Amino acid sequence: MAKRKLKRVDLIFSQDCSCKDILTAALKKSREEIIQELIDSGLKGRGGAGFPTGLKWKMAAAEKGNRKYVICNADEGEPGTFKDREILDRVALKVLGGMALCAYVIDAREGYIYLRYEYRFLIPKLEKMIETFHKWMDEFDLDFRVKLFIGGGAYVCGEETSLIESMEGKRGEPRNKPPYPTNQGYLGKPTVVNNVETLVYTMMIMRIGAEEFKAMGIEGSSGSKLFSVSGDTHKAGIYEIEMGMTLEDFVKEFGDGDTKAVQVGGASGFCVPRKRFKETTIGFQGGLKGFSLPTGGSMMIFNSSRSMYNVLHNYLEFFEEESCGQCTPCRVGCQQLLKGIEAIKRGEKSHRYLNDLMRLSETMKLTAKCGLGQSVANSFASIVENFREEMIY
Amino acid sequence: MRTRQSAVKAAVEKHGKERKNLLPILQEVKRSKNYLSRSDISDVAAEMNLSSAYVYGVASFYHFLDLEERGQNIIWICKTISCYMKGSKDILLALEEALKIKVGETTSDGKFTLLQTNCIGWCHKGPAMLINDQPFTDLTTEKVLNIIEEYYQKS
């Protein structure tokens, strides 16, 4: 069941409770209690992939050894996403608080914020926050220190294993999984990699409790989420909304009255045409009927003045550039999809060639090594299927 | 003035010779002149007991570890669709005209390099660009020329 109305929430940026108080209360609980609370809350990773956070922490906590790491993934690169920048700018202490919780639960001494290069302007502010945070850690008698690691400008490094590779001084090429980072992560040690927003929610769950968090959203997609709204809208910006909204309600609120399609989840997400707004909901597949789309929060709105060929072309150029080149399906596939739609547009290839390209994107979904190559088919197929004529003429 | 080699040495000493410090080291070496030369690469490799090919392989992976000579200020214009929809192309054309260069080129006085980049996370305030580390948003052709003028005076 989808939620009937769009409901705005104010957890992430709320200033009504100090992080220090939340931590003071939370650190009195046992590790198991915190893990259980997170599992009960149903919190799933807010970077887009949606892995249950409590379970991730539990897996890392179960690992033996005294060197473990907490990494905050602030390599926000999905086109149309800008929430993590805003979180780090406005409530960095909540993020650090979430890292401290995780460190306490899994028994880690070191943490890193992997900040994308494009957000370097945040460094002075973040360093100040980290300084304050370290004083708190001393007061709590928690042996945990956080450092900043600045990325080099590579979209694929948002994928957790390539992020780790890059922190180890290598090309940011994704690893084979398993082993998962909770088992063998940074420098081969158990590592939790969490998105910026996810870490804030762990803090907020400590404050409001699992029950209240779970009361929001829908079965399988509990709580709220930040959405980065851009494109043809009069209300571009960041909004925290309860999970499970229908796209119809979303467009009613944010569209300009002439919305033709919404791209949910950025270049790696899905394009939803107007006729499907009603039956499409935002949330992780599970409790939802019809189409449900998970997202890192990128919502790009296109009105009828836009060419969907142009949109797809822009995404494919992006993928072709950002593919790490390690596996053939993605390296060659991205190039061929881009070349292919250009050739069709120029009239050098028949429109039937689109079917071949669709099959190619399906192959990429099955055979590419990481999420980047696998998700090219999402935008490709959903745009081509729904706006076929725009691709051809 | 420190020589180039001693700058490399200082960066390696500051961060440590282990391979995991390669990115911060390359970033620091790059900062002094906005790009990494082939000799920087081989010096870093020698200091860290890595092969030059390895260091080059890593450096060339990352967009912001420039391997070509750059100007004093690097302008990165966002080319993602949301900024495009808000007119990033006009910003680009205005800059090309004002600086008398094309994308990828550096002005003859060495003050500016004009480049494009993927989403920089300001989609709600497009068109957007970075000059070095500083983001600029809600650009108009007029605004962007004023910004460039300011940087021109400063450098």
mmCIF file of all heavy atoms in Angstrom, chain A residues 80 82 85 116-118 120 150-153 166-167 169-172 186 231-232 314 321-322, chain B residues 19-20 27 30-31 54 57 61-64 79 81 85-86 118-124 133:
data_model
loop_
_atom_site.group_PDB
_atom_site.id
_atom_site.type_symbol
_atom_site.label_atom_id
_atom_site.label_comp_id
_atom_site.label_asym_id
_atom_site.label_seq_id
_atom_site.Cartn_x
_atom_site.Cartn_y
_atom_site.Cartn_z
ATOM 1 N N GLY A 80 22.055 14.843 -9.977
ATOM 2 C CA GLY A 80 20.778 15.217 -9.375
ATOM 3 C C GLY A 80 20.714 15.021 -7.873
ATOM 4 O O GLY A 80 19.667 15.200 -7.272
ATOM 5 N N PHE A 82 22.168 16.129 -4.121
ATOM 6 C CA PHE A 82 22.985 17.130 -3.429
ATOM 7 C C PHE A 82 22.672 17.208 -1.940
ATOM 8 O O PHE A 82 23.039 18.136 -1.260
ATOM 9 C CB PHE A 82 22.811 18.510 -4.078
ATOM 10 C CG PHE A 82 21.394 18.822 -4.518
ATOM 11 C CD1 PHE A 82 20.527 19.473 -3.682
ATOM 12 C CD2 PHE A 82 20.955 18.438 -5.788
ATOM 13 C CE1 PHE A 82 19.210 19.750 -4.091
ATOM 14 C CE2 PHE A 82 19.643 18.710 -6.198
ATOM 15 C CZ PHE A 82 18.778 19.365 -5.356
ATOM 16 N N ARG A 85 25.811 16.962 0.692
ATOM 17 C CA ARG A 85 26.526 18.234 0.836
ATOM 18 C C ARG A 85 25.827 19.116 1.870
ATOM 19 O O ARG A 85 26.459 19.677 2.764
ATOM 20 C CB ARG A 85 26.582 18.965 -0.507
ATOM 21 C CG ARG A 85 27.073 20.392 -0.386
ATOM 22 C CD ARG A 85 27.100 21.110 -1.720
ATOM 23 N NE ARG A 85 25.837 21.096 -2.444
ATOM 24 C CZ ARG A 85 24.751 21.764 -2.077
ATOM 25 N NH1 ARG A 85 24.745 22.499 -0.995
ATOM 26 N NH2 ARG A 85 23.645 21.680 -2.801
ATOM 27 N N ARG A 116 33.926 13.850 -1.408
ATOM 28 C CA ARG A 116 34.236 13.993 -2.831
ATOM 29 C C ARG A 116 34.990 15.296 -3.070
ATOM 30 O O ARG A 116 34.777 16.298 -2.382
ATOM 31 C CB ARG A 116 32.967 13.920 -3.679
ATOM 32 C CG ARG A 116 32.081 15.138 -3.588
ATOM 33 C CD ARG A 116 30.792 14.938 -4.347
ATOM 34 N NE ARG A 116 30.991 14.725 -5.758
ATOM 35 C CZ ARG A 116 30.220 15.224 -6.725
ATOM 36 N NH1 ARG A 116 29.183 15.987 -6.406
ATOM 37 N NH2 ARG A 116 30.457 14.980 -7.976
ATOM 38 N N TYR A 117 35.828 15.276 -4.077
ATOM 39 C CA TYR A 117 36.696 16.412 -4.369
ATOM 40 C C TYR A 117 35.875 17.692 -4.571
ATOM 41 O O TYR A 117 36.270 18.770 -4.133
ATOM 42 C CB TYR A 117 37.512 16.118 -5.637
ATOM 43 C CG TYR A 117 38.506 17.207 -5.952
ATOM 44 C CD1 TYR A 117 39.837 17.091 -5.538
ATOM 45 C CD2 TYR A 117 38.129 18.353 -6.644
ATOM 46 C CE1 TYR A 117 40.752 18.085 -5.808
ATOM 47 C CE2 TYR A 117 39.044 19.361 -6.914
ATOM 48 C CZ TYR A 117 40.347 19.223 -6.504
ATOM 49 O OH TYR A 117 41.248 20.215 -6.765
ATOM 50 N N GLU A 118 34.730 17.550 -5.198
ATOM 51 C CA GLU A 118 33.899 18.707 -5.515
ATOM 52 C C GLU A 118 33.406 19.435 -4.270
ATOM 53 O O GLU A 118 32.914 20.554 -4.356
ATOM 54 C CB GLU A 118 32.700 18.267 -6.368
ATOM 55 C CG GLU A 118 33.046 17.827 -7.785
ATOM 56 C CD GLU A 118 33.461 16.361 -7.880
ATOM 57 O OE1 GLU A 118 33.909 15.779 -6.862
ATOM 58 O OE2 GLU A 118 33.348 15.780 -8.976
ATOM 59 N N ARG A 120 35.349 20.109 -1.619
ATOM 60 C CA ARG A 120 36.519 20.565 -0.848
ATOM 61 C C ARG A 120 36.242 21.840 -0.061
ATOM 62 O O ARG A 120 36.840 22.070 0.991
ATOM 63 C CB ARG A 120 37.695 20.829 -1.802
ATOM 64 C CG ARG A 120 38.459 19.586 -2.219
ATOM 65 C CD ARG A 120 39.668 19.987 -3.070
ATOM 66 N NE ARG A 120 40.529 20.873 -2.314
ATOM 67 C CZ ARG A 120 41.535 20.473 -1.564
ATOM 68 N NH1 ARG A 120 41.833 19.216 -1.492
ATOM 69 N NH2 ARG A 120 42.253 21.350 -0.902
ATOM 70 N N ILE A 150 40.020 12.913 1.042
ATOM 71 C CA ILE A 150 39.432 13.634 -0.088
ATOM 72 C C ILE A 150 39.548 12.801 -1.359
ATOM 73 O O ILE A 150 40.636 12.355 -1.718
ATOM 74 C CB ILE A 150 40.143 14.994 -0.301
ATOM 75 C CG1 ILE A 150 40.255 15.761 1.027
ATOM 76 C CG2 ILE A 150 39.401 15.827 -1.348
ATOM 77 C CD1 ILE A 150 38.942 16.072 1.709
ATOM 78 N N GLY A 151 38.428 12.598 -1.999
ATOM 79 C CA GLY A 151 38.410 11.808 -3.239
ATOM 80 C C GLY A 151 39.118 12.538 -4.373
ATOM 81 O O GLY A 151 39.542 13.678 -4.233
ATOM 82 N N GLY A 152 39.226 11.853 -5.495
ATOM 83 C CA GLY A 152 39.950 12.438 -6.616
ATOM 84 C C GLY A 152 39.037 12.800 -7.790
ATOM 85 O O GLY A 152 39.503 13.212 -8.839
ATOM 86 N N GLY A 153 37.739 12.627 -7.589
ATOM 87 C CA GLY A 153 36.824 12.923 -8.687
ATOM 88 C C GLY A 153 36.597 11.695 -9.536
ATOM 89 O O GLY A 153 37.159 11.564 -10.621
ATOM 90 N N SER A 166 40.319 3.109 -3.510
ATOM 91 C CA SER A 166 40.920 4.424 -3.706
ATOM 92 C C SER A 166 41.577 4.915 -2.415
ATOM 93 O O SER A 166 42.618 5.564 -2.434
ATOM 94 C CB SER A 166 39.872 5.388 -4.272
ATOM 95 O OG SER A 166 39.609 6.446 -3.432
ATOM 96 N N MET A 167 41.001 4.568 -1.265
ATOM 97 C CA MET A 167 41.637 4.937 0.011
ATOM 98 C C MET A 167 42.932 4.183 0.247
ATOM 99 O O MET A 167 43.766 4.590 1.041
ATOM 100 C CB MET A 167 40.680 4.653 1.171
ATOM 101 C CG MET A 167 39.579 5.692 1.307
ATOM 102 S SD MET A 167 38.528 5.341 2.726
ATOM 103 C CE MET A 167 39.664 5.588 4.085
ATOM 104 N N GLY A 169 45.105 3.760 -2.017
ATOM 105 C CA GLY A 169 46.107 4.244 -2.958
ATOM 106 C C GLY A 169 46.084 3.537 -4.297
ATOM 107 O O GLY A 169 47.112 3.396 -4.953
ATOM 108 N N LYS A 170 44.907 3.078 -4.689
ATOM 109 C CA LYS A 170 44.804 2.380 -5.974
ATOM 110 C C LYS A 170 43.809 3.080 -6.891
ATOM 111 O O LYS A 170 43.130 4.016 -6.477
ATOM 112 C CB LYS A 170 44.322 0.940 -5.741
ATOM 113 C CG LYS A 170 45.179 0.158 -4.785
ATOM 114 C CD LYS A 170 44.584 -1.226 -4.613
ATOM 115 C CE LYS A 170 45.037 -1.844 -3.299
ATOM 116 N NZ LYS A 170 44.130 -2.895 -2.851
ATOM 117 N N ARG A 171 43.718 2.601 -8.112
ATOM 118 C CA ARG A 171 42.649 3.046 -8.998
ATOM 119 C C ARG A 171 41.330 2.616 -8.357
ATOM 120 O O ARG A 171 41.241 1.548 -7.772
ATOM 121 C CB ARG A 171 42.773 2.375 -10.374
ATOM 122 C CG ARG A 171 43.962 2.830 -11.178
ATOM 123 C CD ARG A 171 44.232 1.897 -12.335
ATOM 124 N NE ARG A 171 43.191 1.965 -13.358
ATOM 125 C CZ ARG A 171 43.160 2.845 -14.349
ATOM 126 N NH1 ARG A 171 44.135 3.720 -14.463
ATOM 127 N NH2 ARG A 171 42.192 2.844 -15.226
ATOM 128 N N GLY A 172 40.320 3.458 -8.495
ATOM 129 C CA GLY A 172 39.059 3.141 -7.834
ATOM 130 C C GLY A 172 38.240 2.120 -8.579
ATOM 131 O O GLY A 172 37.143 2.408 -9.049
ATOM 132 N N TYR A 186 38.596 -1.916 4.371
ATOM 133 C CA TYR A 186 39.782 -1.064 4.273
ATOM 134 C C TYR A 186 40.990 -1.777 4.872
ATOM 135 O O TYR A 186 40.941 -2.272 6.001
ATOM 136 C CB TYR A 186 39.507 0.253 5.008
ATOM 137 C CG TYR A 186 40.630 1.256 4.960
ATOM 138 C CD1 TYR A 186 41.245 1.606 3.758
ATOM 139 C CD2 TYR A 186 41.077 1.876 6.123
ATOM 140 C CE1 TYR A 186 42.277 2.536 3.717
ATOM 141 C CE2 TYR A 186 42.103 2.814 6.098
ATOM 142 C CZ TYR A 186 42.702 3.142 4.889
ATOM 143 O OH TYR A 186 43.722 4.063 4.855
ATOM 144 N N GLY A 231 15.395 20.269 -11.807
ATOM 145 C CA GLY A 231 14.783 20.214 -13.132
ATOM 146 C C GLY A 231 13.666 21.227 -13.268
ATOM 147 O O GLY A 231 13.755 22.329 -12.735
ATOM 148 N N ASP A 232 12.599 20.833 -13.989
ATOM 149 C CA ASP A 232 11.505 21.766 -14.252
ATOM 150 C C ASP A 232 10.551 21.833 -13.065
ATOM 151 O O ASP A 232 9.491 21.206 -13.052
ATOM 152 C CB ASP A 232 10.761 21.343 -15.521
ATOM 153 C CG ASP A 232 11.649 21.499 -16.744
ATOM 154 O OD1 ASP A 232 12.268 22.568 -16.883
ATOM 155 O OD2 ASP A 232 11.744 20.552 -17.542
ATOM 156 N N ASN A 314 22.827 12.678 -22.450
ATOM 157 C CA ASN A 314 23.612 13.238 -21.351
ATOM 158 C C ASN A 314 24.007 12.146 -20.345
ATOM 159 O O ASN A 314 25.157 12.081 -19.896
ATOM 160 C CB ASN A 314 22.778 14.338 -20.667
ATOM 161 C CG ASN A 314 23.587 15.140 -19.670
ATOM 162 O OD1 ASN A 314 23.695 14.748 -18.512
ATOM 163 N ND2 ASN A 314 24.163 16.247 -20.100
ATOM 164 N N GLU A 321 32.025 8.177 -19.610
ATOM 165 C CA GLU A 321 33.176 8.828 -19.006
ATOM 166 C C GLU A 321 33.530 8.224 -17.650
ATOM 167 O O GLU A 321 34.695 8.115 -17.293
ATOM 168 C CB GLU A 321 32.840 10.306 -18.827
ATOM 169 C CG GLU A 321 34.031 11.197 -18.684
ATOM 170 C CD GLU A 321 33.580 12.653 -18.715
ATOM 171 O OE1 GLU A 321 32.975 13.077 -19.726
ATOM 172 O OE2 GLU A 321 33.800 13.339 -17.724
ATOM 173 N N GLU A 322 32.515 7.849 -16.885
ATOM 174 C CA GLU A 322 32.753 7.419 -15.508
ATOM 175 C C GLU A 322 32.963 5.917 -15.356
ATOM 176 O O GLU A 322 33.353 5.460 -14.281
ATOM 177 C CB GLU A 322 31.594 7.866 -14.613
ATOM 178 C CG GLU A 322 31.423 9.378 -14.512
ATOM 179 C CD GLU A 322 32.590 10.062 -13.791
ATOM 180 O OE1 GLU A 322 33.388 9.369 -13.131
ATOM 181 O OE2 GLU A 322 32.696 11.294 -13.906
ATOM 182 N N ARG B 19 51.507 2.804 0.694
ATOM 183 C CA ARG B 19 50.756 3.029 -0.531
ATOM 184 C C ARG B 19 49.409 3.707 -0.274
ATOM 185 O O ARG B 19 48.919 4.468 -1.086
ATOM 186 C CB ARG B 19 50.537 1.703 -1.249
ATOM 187 C CG ARG B 19 49.889 1.910 -2.622
ATOM 188 C CD ARG B 19 49.625 0.608 -3.306
ATOM 189 N NE ARG B 19 48.743 -0.227 -2.498
ATOM 190 C CZ ARG B 19 48.389 -1.464 -2.830
ATOM 191 N NH1 ARG B 19 48.865 -2.004 -3.925
ATOM 192 N NH2 ARG B 19 47.588 -2.164 -2.051
ATOM 193 N N LYS B 20 48.814 3.443 0.883
ATOM 194 C CA LYS B 20 47.489 4.000 1.149
ATOM 195 C C LYS B 20 47.494 5.526 1.145
ATOM 196 O O LYS B 20 46.443 6.149 1.069
ATOM 197 C CB LYS B 20 46.931 3.462 2.464
ATOM 198 C CG LYS B 20 47.632 3.956 3.715
ATOM 199 C CD LYS B 20 46.924 3.410 4.959
ATOM 200 C CE LYS B 20 47.721 3.609 6.224
ATOM 201 N NZ LYS B 20 47.764 4.991 6.709
ATOM 202 N N GLN B 27 47.594 14.600 -4.425
ATOM 203 C CA GLN B 27 46.791 15.825 -4.340
ATOM 204 C C GLN B 27 47.634 16.992 -3.850
ATOM 205 O O GLN B 27 47.522 18.114 -4.336
ATOM 206 C CB GLN B 27 45.595 15.606 -3.398
ATOM 207 C CG GLN B 27 44.506 14.755 -4.031
ATOM 208 C CD GLN B 27 43.452 14.276 -3.043
ATOM 209 O OE1 GLN B 27 43.642 14.349 -1.832
ATOM 210 N NE2 GLN B 27 42.351 13.751 -3.547
ATOM 211 N N LYS B 30 50.123 18.086 -6.505
ATOM 212 C CA LYS B 30 49.412 18.773 -7.580
ATOM 213 C C LYS B 30 49.114 20.224 -7.225
ATOM 214 O O LYS B 30 49.166 21.120 -8.061
ATOM 215 C CB LYS B 30 48.097 18.039 -7.877
ATOM 216 C CG LYS B 30 47.262 18.677 -8.973
ATOM 217 C CD LYS B 30 45.786 18.540 -8.742
ATOM 218 C CE LYS B 30 45.039 19.774 -9.185
ATOM 219 N NZ LYS B 30 43.589 19.649 -9.115
ATOM 220 N N ARG B 31 48.795 20.441 -5.971
ATOM 221 C CA ARG B 31 48.289 21.749 -5.566
ATOM 222 C C ARG B 31 49.248 22.896 -5.876
ATOM 223 O O ARG B 31 48.826 23.986 -6.237
ATOM 224 C CB ARG B 31 47.942 21.751 -4.072
ATOM 225 C CG ARG B 31 46.981 22.862 -3.728
ATOM 226 C CD ARG B 31 46.079 22.484 -2.568
ATOM 227 N NE ARG B 31 45.583 21.132 -2.662
ATOM 228 C CZ ARG B 31 45.598 20.275 -1.646
ATOM 229 N NH1 ARG B 31 46.099 20.623 -0.498
ATOM 230 N NH2 ARG B 31 45.110 19.076 -1.820
ATOM 231 N N TYR B 54 52.691 2.387 -12.155
ATOM 232 C CA TYR B 54 51.615 2.218 -11.177
ATOM 233 C C TYR B 54 51.059 3.583 -10.755
ATOM 234 O O TYR B 54 49.842 3.799 -10.748
ATOM 235 C CB TYR B 54 52.114 1.452 -9.941
ATOM 236 C CG TYR B 54 51.040 1.300 -8.899
ATOM 237 C CD1 TYR B 54 50.090 0.288 -8.984
ATOM 238 C CD2 TYR B 54 50.932 2.213 -7.841
ATOM 239 C CE1 TYR B 54 49.070 0.179 -8.065
ATOM 240 C CE2 TYR B 54 49.911 2.113 -6.904
ATOM 241 C CZ TYR B 54 48.987 1.085 -7.018
ATOM 242 O OH TYR B 54 47.971 0.989 -6.102
ATOM 243 N N GLY B 57 49.118 5.121 -13.428
ATOM 244 C CA GLY B 57 47.835 4.425 -13.554
ATOM 245 C C GLY B 57 46.818 4.957 -12.557
ATOM 246 O O GLY B 57 45.654 5.172 -12.884
ATOM 247 N N PHE B 61 43.480 7.913 -13.229
ATOM 248 C CA PHE B 61 42.123 7.422 -12.977
ATOM 249 C C PHE B 61 41.199 8.537 -12.503
ATOM 250 O O PHE B 61 39.996 8.502 -12.721
ATOM 251 C CB PHE B 61 42.168 6.314 -11.917
ATOM 252 C CG PHE B 61 40.858 5.612 -11.699
ATOM 253 C CD1 PHE B 61 40.483 4.551 -12.515
ATOM 254 C CD2 PHE B 61 39.983 6.008 -10.699
ATOM 255 C CE1 PHE B 61 39.280 3.896 -12.329
ATOM 256 C CE2 PHE B 61 38.771 5.364 -10.501
ATOM 257 C CZ PHE B 61 38.421 4.303 -11.315
ATOM 258 N N TYR B 62 41.776 9.532 -11.836
ATOM 259 C CA TYR B 62 40.961 10.532 -11.148
ATOM 260 C C TYR B 62 40.914 11.858 -11.911
ATOM 261 O O TYR B 62 41.947 12.414 -12.260
ATOM 262 C CB TYR B 62 41.500 10.748 -9.726
ATOM 263 C CG TYR B 62 41.447 9.489 -8.902
ATOM 264 C CD1 TYR B 62 42.556 8.649 -8.789
ATOM 265 C CD2 TYR B 62 40.269 9.103 -8.278
ATOM 266 C CE1 TYR B 62 42.500 7.473 -8.055
ATOM 267 C CE2 TYR B 62 40.202 7.921 -7.543
ATOM 268 C CZ TYR B 62 41.319 7.116 -7.438
ATOM 269 O OH TYR B 62 41.253 5.950 -6.728
ATOM 270 N N HIS B 63 39.675 12.355 -12.121
ATOM 271 C CA HIS B 63 39.499 13.580 -12.910
ATOM 272 C C HIS B 63 40.287 14.763 -12.385
ATOM 273 O O HIS B 63 40.761 15.597 -13.146
ATOM 274 C CB HIS B 63 38.030 14.002 -12.915
ATOM 275 C CG HIS B 63 37.115 12.989 -13.535
ATOM 276 N ND1 HIS B 63 37.353 12.466 -14.781
ATOM 277 C CD2 HIS B 63 35.985 12.415 -13.088
ATOM 278 C CE1 HIS B 63 36.386 11.604 -15.060
ATOM 279 N NE2 HIS B 63 35.552 11.550 -14.054
ATOM 280 N N PHE B 64 40.375 14.862 -11.054
ATOM 281 C CA PHE B 64 40.935 16.087 -10.501
ATOM 282 C C PHE B 64 42.439 15.995 -10.229
ATOM 283 O O PHE B 64 43.006 16.867 -9.599
ATOM 284 C CB PHE B 64 40.178 16.502 -9.239
ATOM 285 C CG PHE B 64 38.794 17.004 -9.540
ATOM 286 C CD1 PHE B 64 37.696 16.169 -9.445
ATOM 287 C CD2 PHE B 64 38.592 18.311 -9.950
ATOM 288 C CE1 PHE B 64 36.411 16.626 -9.746
ATOM 289 C CE2 PHE B 64 37.314 18.782 -10.255
ATOM 290 C CZ PHE B 64 36.231 17.940 -10.147
ATOM 291 N N LYS B 79 28.290 19.892 -16.498
ATOM 292 C CA LYS B 79 27.666 19.588 -17.788
ATOM 293 C C LYS B 79 26.512 18.603 -17.650
ATOM 294 O O LYS B 79 26.008 18.079 -18.631
ATOM 295 C CB LYS B 79 28.714 19.044 -18.763
ATOM 296 C CG LYS B 79 29.352 17.765 -18.320
ATOM 297 C CD LYS B 79 30.325 17.249 -19.379
ATOM 298 C CE LYS B 79 31.022 16.004 -18.904
ATOM 299 N NZ LYS B 79 32.087 15.546 -19.764
ATOM 300 N N ILE B 81 22.703 17.146 -16.903
ATOM 301 C CA ILE B 81 21.453 17.578 -17.527
ATOM 302 C C ILE B 81 20.725 18.672 -16.745
ATOM 303 O O ILE B 81 20.178 19.603 -17.333
ATOM 304 C CB ILE B 81 20.534 16.352 -17.783
ATOM 305 C CG1 ILE B 81 19.340 16.712 -18.659
ATOM 306 C CG2 ILE B 81 20.082 15.693 -16.508
ATOM 307 C CD1 ILE B 81 19.666 16.861 -20.112
ATOM 308 N N MET B 85 19.764 22.110 -18.421
ATOM 309 C CA MET B 85 18.394 22.606 -18.548
ATOM 310 C C MET B 85 18.252 24.047 -18.082
ATOM 311 O O MET B 85 17.332 24.754 -18.471
ATOM 312 C CB MET B 85 17.429 21.714 -17.736
ATOM 313 C CG MET B 85 17.169 20.366 -18.385
ATOM 314 S SD MET B 85 16.554 19.136 -17.200
ATOM 315 C CE MET B 85 14.944 19.778 -16.824
ATOM 316 N N LYS B 86 19.158 24.457 -17.217
ATOM 317 C CA LYS B 86 19.108 25.832 -16.709
ATOM 318 C C LYS B 86 20.046 26.760 -17.495
ATOM 319 O O LYS B 86 20.279 27.897 -17.090
ATOM 320 C CB LYS B 86 19.462 25.862 -15.224
ATOM 321 C CG LYS B 86 18.551 25.032 -14.352
ATOM 322 C CD LYS B 86 17.151 25.639 -14.247
ATOM 323 C CE LYS B 86 16.196 24.691 -13.526
ATOM 324 N NZ LYS B 86 14.806 24.901 -13.879
ATOM 325 N N ASN B 118 31.359 16.514 -14.496
ATOM 326 C CA ASN B 118 30.051 15.950 -14.205
ATOM 327 C C ASN B 118 29.499 16.526 -12.907
ATOM 328 O O ASN B 118 30.222 17.201 -12.172
ATOM 329 C CB ASN B 118 30.145 14.428 -14.149
ATOM 330 C CG ASN B 118 30.335 13.841 -15.529
ATOM 331 O OD1 ASN B 118 29.717 14.308 -16.491
ATOM 332 N ND2 ASN B 118 31.216 12.860 -15.654
ATOM 333 N N CYS B 119 28.250 16.213 -12.652
ATOM 334 C CA CYS B 119 27.481 16.781 -11.527
ATOM 335 C C CYS B 119 28.337 17.177 -10.319
ATOM 336 O O CYS B 119 29.062 16.366 -9.764
ATOM 337 C CB CYS B 119 26.412 15.781 -11.076
ATOM 338 S SG CYS B 119 25.222 16.502 -9.926
ATOM 339 N N ILE B 120 28.246 18.453 -9.928
ATOM 340 C CA ILE B 120 29.011 18.917 -8.766
ATOM 341 C C ILE B 120 28.105 19.137 -7.549
ATOM 342 O O ILE B 120 28.513 19.715 -6.546
ATOM 343 C CB ILE B 120 29.821 20.204 -9.077
ATOM 344 C CG1 ILE B 120 28.909 21.338 -9.581
ATOM 345 C CG2 ILE B 120 30.910 19.918 -10.095
ATOM 346 C CD1 ILE B 120 29.633 22.675 -9.727
ATOM 347 N N GLY B 121 26.849 18.672 -7.659
ATOM 348 C CA GLY B 121 25.977 18.689 -6.482
ATOM 349 C C GLY B 121 25.307 20.018 -6.177
ATOM 350 O O GLY B 121 25.055 20.343 -5.028
ATOM 351 N N TRP B 122 24.988 20.795 -7.213
ATOM 352 C CA TRP B 122 24.254 22.051 -7.018
ATOM 353 C C TRP B 122 23.075 22.138 -7.988
ATOM 354 O O TRP B 122 22.731 23.221 -8.472
ATOM 355 C CB TRP B 122 25.181 23.256 -7.217
ATOM 356 C CG TRP B 122 26.204 23.369 -6.158
ATOM 357 C CD1 TRP B 122 27.481 22.880 -6.200
ATOM 358 C CD2 TRP B 122 26.070 23.990 -4.863
ATOM 359 N NE1 TRP B 122 28.138 23.154 -5.023
ATOM 360 C CE2 TRP B 122 27.296 23.840 -4.194
ATOM 361 C CE3 TRP B 122 25.017 24.653 -4.211
ATOM 362 C CZ2 TRP B 122 27.506 24.319 -2.898
ATOM 363 C CZ3 TRP B 122 25.240 25.134 -2.927
ATOM 364 C CH2 TRP B 122 26.468 24.977 -2.288
ATOM 365 N N CYS B 123 22.443 20.978 -8.255
ATOM 366 C CA CYS B 123 21.426 20.888 -9.300
ATOM 367 C C CYS B 123 20.241 21.821 -9.067
ATOM 368 O O CYS B 123 19.577 22.222 -10.008
ATOM 369 C CB CYS B 123 20.913 19.468 -9.389
ATOM 370 S SG CYS B 123 22.196 18.265 -9.147
ATOM 371 N N HIS B 124 19.954 22.138 -7.793
ATOM 372 C CA HIS B 124 18.801 23.007 -7.518
ATOM 373 C C HIS B 124 19.151 24.471 -7.745
ATOM 374 O O HIS B 124 18.297 25.328 -7.666
ATOM 375 C CB HIS B 124 18.298 22.801 -6.102
ATOM 376 C CG HIS B 124 19.341 23.020 -5.037
ATOM 377 N ND1 HIS B 124 20.653 22.664 -5.217
ATOM 378 C CD2 HIS B 124 19.257 23.554 -3.805
ATOM 379 C CE1 HIS B 124 21.326 22.965 -4.123
ATOM 380 N NE2 HIS B 124 20.509 23.517 -3.258
ATOM 381 N N ASP B 133 38.438 25.391 -5.773
ATOM 382 C CA ASP B 133 37.587 24.665 -4.829
ATOM 383 C C ASP B 133 36.245 25.340 -4.599
ATOM 384 O O ASP B 133 35.377 24.800 -3.941
ATOM 385 C CB ASP B 133 38.275 24.566 -3.453
ATOM 386 C CG ASP B 133 39.490 23.676 -3.503
ATOM 387 O OD1 ASP B 133 39.673 22.973 -4.520
ATOM 388 O OD2 ASP B 133 40.262 23.685 -2.534
#
